[in-house]
C-alpha cells in the first residue's frame, strides 16, 4: 500500500518524537515541515532527513500532502486545523483540540462537511498500560467499576521549559496541559462523562522561568493552577480528580485508581504508553500485576495518527478522534465553569468509542448539543 504523504506544522519540542517515531512508518511518509521560525523547521528537516521546508501556506498548497500533523502551540490548534481542512487535507493535532468549545465545534463540523478526518492527541490511551486495564475491566476482574481517583500533582513546567508562558494563559494550566491524558484514560476505562463539579484557583502566583535564555523572567499567571473536582460518568461511576501546578513538595498519591465491586486496579501514568497495571482483589492482602495485553514502549507518540490512517484507508471510525477530544475539551471547561458558577455542569456532548471490529453500525457519536 502506498504511504500517505504528510506534513508537519510546528517544529517545537514535541515534533522530534513524532518525527523519530514516524520515520520508518509503513503507512505515513513525512515529506515536509513548516514553522513560523523557518530556521527551526530547517533544523528538524536536517535532523530527520525531511525533503521539504515550507512556510505554512506552501505546505497547505502542496497537493501531494494528504495529511497534516498540527504540532503548534495550543492557542493555534483550532485555527490551524481549520486551515488544513479548508485545504482539503486530514489533520491530526496535539492536545487540546481547541481552546474554546466554539472553535472545537467548528473543527468537528468542518471535517464532517468536507468528509475529512480529525484526530487529536493524546494517543497514550492506545498503549499497553490503559488497554491492559480496559481489557481487565471488561473481563470483570474488579467487578462493576463504581469509583475512581485521578491525581496530577506537580510544581509547574517553568523550572525546565525554556518557553513556558503558554502554560499560564487561557488554554494552559494543569487541566489543559495534563488533563487530556487523565480524562482520556478515564473515559476509555469508565465511559463518557455526564456531569462535573469542582473548585479552581491560583494558589501560587509568583513564578519565574527557571532555565534557558529567559531564566529569571517573571511569569504572569492568567489561568487556574489548581483544580479539584468530582466527575459523574454516564454508566454510574464517580471519580475524584485533582490537577495542579501548585504542589512544590511532590506527592505520593497514585496517578489513577479504579474501584470496583470486586477489587481495585492501579493504573500507570497516562502520559506514557506502558507501565504496570496492578490489581488487588476483594479479600486479598497483596497486589498482583496484570499480564499486559501487549507490549508498548514508553513513548510511542504517533500511533494515534497511524491508526487514523489505517481507518481512513478502511473507511471506518478512528480511535484518537476529534470527537473524543471534544468530549475531553468540554469536560476541562466544565471544571472551570463549575467553580465560577458554583454548580454541577452537565456535559452536552457524549462519546461512544469506535468498536474494535470497526463496523459501520458502531461509529463514534458526533458532538451533540441539547
Amino acid at each position: 500500500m502506498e504511504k500517505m504523504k504528510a506534513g508537519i506544522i510546528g517544529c517545537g519540542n514535541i515534533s522530534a518524537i513524532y518525527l523519530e517515531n514516524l520515520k520508518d512508518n509503513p503507512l505515513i511518509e513525512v515529506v515536509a515541515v513548516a514553522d513560523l521560525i523557518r530556521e527551526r523547521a530547517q533544523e528538524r528537516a536536517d535532523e530527520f532527513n525531511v525533503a521539504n521546508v515550507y512556510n505554512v501556506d506552501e505546505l497547505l498548497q502542496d497537493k501531494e500532502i494528504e495529511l497534516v500533523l498540527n504540532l503548534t502551540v495550543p492557542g493555534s490548534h483550532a485555527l490551524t486545523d481549520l486551515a488544513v481542512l479548508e485545504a482539503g487535507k486530514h489533520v491530526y493535532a496535539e492536545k487540546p483540540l481547541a481552546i474554546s468549545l466554539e472553535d472545537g465545534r467548528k473543527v468537528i463540523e468542518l471535517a464532517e462537511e468536507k468528509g475529512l478526518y480529525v484526530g487529536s492527541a493524546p494517543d497514550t490511551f492506545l498503549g499497553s498500560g490503559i488497554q491492559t486495564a480496559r481489557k481487565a475491566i471488561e473481563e470483570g476482574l474488579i467487578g462493576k467499576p463504581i469509583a475512581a481517583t485521578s491525581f496530577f500533582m506537580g510544581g509547574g513546567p517553568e523550572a525546565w521549559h525554556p518557553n513556558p508562558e503558554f502554560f499560564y494563559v487561557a488554554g494552559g494550566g494543569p487541566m489543559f496541559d495534563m488533563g487530556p491524558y487523565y480524562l482520556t484514560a478515564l473515559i476509555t476505562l469508565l465511559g463518557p462523562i455526564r456531569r462535573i463539579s469542582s473548585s479552581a484557583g491560583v494558589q501560587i502566583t509568583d513564578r519565574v522561568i527557571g532555565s534557558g535564555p529567559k531564566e529569571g523572567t517573571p511569569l504572569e499567571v492568567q489561568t487556574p493552577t489548581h483544580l479539584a473536582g468530582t466527575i459523574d460518568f454516564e454508566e454510574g461511576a464517580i471519580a475524584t480528580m485533582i490537577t495542579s501546578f501548585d504542589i512544590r513538595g511532590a506527592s505520593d498519591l497514585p496517578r489513577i485508581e479504579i474501584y470496583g465491586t470486586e477489587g481495585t486496579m492501579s493504573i500507570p501514568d497516562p502520559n506514557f504508553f506502558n507501565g504496570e497495571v496492578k490489581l488487588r482483589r476483594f479479600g486479598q492482602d497483596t497486589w498482583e500485576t496484570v499480564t499486559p495485553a501487549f507490549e508498548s514502549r514508553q513513548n510511542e507518540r504517533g500511533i494515534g495518527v497511524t491508526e487514523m490512517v489505517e481507518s481512513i484507508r478502511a473507511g471506518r471510525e478512528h480511535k484518537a478522534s476529534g470527537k473524543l477530544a471534544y468530549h475531553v475539551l468540554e469536560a476541562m471547561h466544565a471544571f472551570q465553569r463549575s467553580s465560577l458558577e458554583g454548580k454541577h455542569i452537565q456535559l452536552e456532548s457524549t462519546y461512544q468509542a469506535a468498536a474494535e471490529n470497526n463496523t459501520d453500525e458502531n461509529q463514534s457519536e458526533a458532538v451533540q448539543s441539547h
Side-chain angles (χ1 to χ4, degrees):
M1 184 181 295
E2 185 178 353
K3 290 185 179 184
M4 181 175 288
K5 300 219 168 12
I8 288 178
I9 298 176
C11 295
N13 287 345
I14 198 68
S15 64
I17 189 62
Y18 277 95
L19 284 160
E20 175 67 27
N21 289 342
L22 292 174
K23 67 182 181 182
D24 298 317
N25 191 286
L27 296 177
I28 302 166
E29 180 185 1
V30 178
V31 298
V33 291
D35 193 278
L36 291 176
I37 302 173
R38 193 177 184 89
E39 292 77 14
R40 189 159 57 188
Q42 187 66 59
E43 287 175 7
R44 285 288 185 246
D46 293 343
E47 183 180 0
F48 293 98
N49 224 14
V50 179
N52 300 295
V53 176
Y54 288 149
N55 63 39
V56 173
D57 287 339
E58 289 170 339
L59 190 149
L60 294 178
Q61 290 167 14
D62 188 333
K63 298 188 185 306
E64 184 182 46
I65 293 172
E66 298 180 64
L67 165 69
V68 173
L69 277 71
N70 175 7
L71 308 183
T72 61
V73 296
S76 298
H77 286 176
L79 187 64
T80 305
D81 282 354
L82 292 169
V84 172
L85 294 168
E86 288 288 3
K89 306 178 190 302
H90 308 291
V91 64
Y92 182 94
E94 255 302 317
K95 49 80 187 169
L97 176 67
I99 300 302
S100 73
L101 287 175
E102 180 183 5
D103 284 345
R105 284 193 294 269
K106 286 179 180 177
V107 170
I108 301 299
E109 289 166 0
L110 183 59
E112 290 177 346
E113 176 187 322
K114 290 186 169 290
L116 295 166
Y117 279 61
V118 174
S120 179
D123 54 2
T124 47
F125 75 100
L126 297 175
S128 61
I130 303 303
Q131 289 301 312
T132 296
R134 182 186 65 81
K135 183 172 182 286
I137 289 172
E138 289 177 351
E139 291 175 351
L141 296 190
I142 61 168
K144 177 180 171 57
I146 56 174
T149 52
S150 175
F151 301 108
F152 170 75
M153 314 288 274
E158 68 271 18
W160 57 268
H161 199 291
N163 298 291
E165 293 90 345
F166 71 91
F167 288 105
Y168 292 99
V169 298
M175 181 57 72
F176 275 74
D177 178 37
M178 295 302 296
Y181 297 103
Y182 288 76
L183 287 165
T184 300
L186 289 170
I187 291 166
T188 299
L189 299 174
L190 300 174
I193 294 168
R194 180 171 65 89
R195 68 177 186 176
I196 287 172
S197 61
S198 74
S199 293
V202 177
Q203 307 300 90
I204 297 176
T205 58
D206 56 326
R207 296 177 183 270
V208 295
I209 299 175
S211 64
K214 300 177 185 177
E215 183 177 356
T217 303
L219 278 168
E220 183 181 358
V221 180
Q222 303 175 41
T223 194
T225 53
H226 187 96
L227 303 96
T230 302
I231 305 169
D232 293 309
F233 291 85
E234 289 183 9
E235 296 176 16
I238 300 171
T240 300
M241 180 174 179
I242 299 176
T243 64
S244 185
F245 282 167
D246 296 333
I247 311 302
R248 291 182 165 175
S251 167
D252 287 332
L253 287 168
R255 301 292 184 171
I256 299 175
E257 287 186 346
I258 308 292
Y259 312 105
T261 55
E262 301 298 328
T264 295
M265 190 173 296
S266 176
I267 313 298
D269 189 340
N271 190 27
F272 301 114
F273 291 81
N274 59 5
E276 286 187 337
V277 176
K278 297 285 192 177
L279 171 67
R280 184 168 174 176
R281 302 174 193 266
F282 179 60
Q284 290 186 340
D285 295 328
T286 58
W287 294 83
E288 60 185 275
T289 300
V290 179
T291 302
F294 53 89
E295 296 295 330
S296 290
R297 302 191 312 275
Q298 187 178 65
N299 194 340
E300 295 183 342
R301 278 171 172 78
I303 64 173
V305 71
T306 300
E307 195 274 335
M308 188 173 90
V309 171
E310 291 175 345
S311 299
I312 292 169
R313 299 295 198 207
R316 67 195 184 204
E317 183 63 64
H318 59 302
K319 294 176 181 176
S321 70
K323 296 166 188 175
L324 171 57
Y326 181 87
H327 192 54
V328 169
L329 178 65
E330 188 182 6
M332 294 192 296
H333 274 280
F335 268 85
Q336 297 194 38
R337 278 189 58 202
S338 174
S339 182
L340 287 170
E341 298 176 18
K343 64 181 183 180
H344 280 100
I345 302 299
Q346 300 282 146
L347 268 62
E348 295 182 342
S349 67
T350 188
Y351 176 75
Q352 181 180 327
E356 288 301 308
N357 60 8
N358 291 297
T359 58
D360 291 338
E361 290 78 21
N362 282 298
Q363 298 294 301
S364 295
E365 294 186 14
V367 173
Q368 297 179 352
S369 295
H370 298 309

